[in-house]
Amino acid sequence: MELPVDDRHQGRLTKDGIRIHDPSDFAGMRTAGDLAARILDAIAVEVFPGQTTAAIDDVITRMVEEAGATSATIGYKGYQHASCISVNHVVCHGIPGAKVLKDGDILNIDVTVIVDGWFGDSSRMYVAGKLSRKAERLIQITHDALFKGIEAVRPGNTFGDIGVAIQSYVEGNRMSVVRDFCGHGLGRVFHAPPNVLHYGRAGTGAILEEGMFFTIEPMVNLGRPETKVLADDWTAVTRDKSLSAQFEHSVGVTADGCEIFTLSPGGRFHPTWGG
Ligand code: MF3
Ligand code: CO
Ligand code: CO
């Protein structure tokens, strides 16, 4: 018998409304996360000067279909694409379209897929053509900031510990952390409690427990942290037009740390890695 959607949820909620998943739920997240990661690996060859972001998104749509999976973003709050593609000063939620990539453009591609009801959400940076020194430094700091956050994921630590790890690293490198967008719980849903802030104070916020699933997805600006949303009601840009970068993994808290569900099978998570 097919259960009503809410009854498929196992485990319990914490007092902060954060779902504690069962050990058996990790397998579903692993499969969904792996598909998101394989799509992000395979899309790298589609990023080059002269290419449109719509063409990249078309290939992603096809890859999701061919995998027998579902895009989490098509139809989400009226969004119509299988990815968000955020170029240069676009912070996040860039809409794929007729925009033609030019040499030196940096872009985040964010893909969320649903496999057997589980959500895999990941994004990475890519470059069209040659990577400039300043963009390379921004991308490196953003990537490393994500991993500072991931290193703080273990039972007993708090969400504030994740935030402060990211913020202190980014600001120590004289860049800024975007405050207007955050990571999120996920699992059999796209966006669930908690809001995973990429800034904060040590020891504050909810305590991490084994079985929590969430994303960490810091956005880092070369200039000031403020953003604004364009008239399309989706595209978020830096107010000062400075370059912005983002990396995102979906993770699950384990007994002694975390499992990253969206690791790149090809070792291509960073634009200068892999072949
Ligand atoms: N994948 C994004 C995230 O990391 C959400 C995109 S929602 C969309 O949470 F509708 F803009 F695609
Ligand atoms: Co996300
Ligand atoms: Co995402």
Side-chain angles (χ1 to χ4, degrees), residues 73 76 79 84 93 110 112 121 184 190-191 217 234 248:
T73 55
Y76 176 78
Y79 196 79
C84 297
H93 301 164
D110 190 336
T112 310
D121 185 6
H184 49 93
F190 195 172
H191 293 115
E217 47 183 299
W234 282 105
E248 174 177 26

Side-chain angles (χ1 to χ4, degrees), residues 242-257:
S242 67
L243 275 186
S244 187
Q246 179 179 27
F247 285 87
E248 174 177 26
H249 270 316
S250 297
V251 306
V253 183
T254 60
D256 58 357

Side-chain angles (χ1 to χ4, degrees), residues 43 46-48 51-61 63 83 85 96 101 107 109:
I43 204 65
E46 299 294 334
V47 177
F48 49 82
Q51 176 74 308
T52 66
T53 56
I56 295 171
D57 184 71
D58 285 344
V59 175
I60 293 171
T61 302
M63 289 193 288
S83 63
I85 303 183
L101 296 176
L107 49 149
I109 304 180

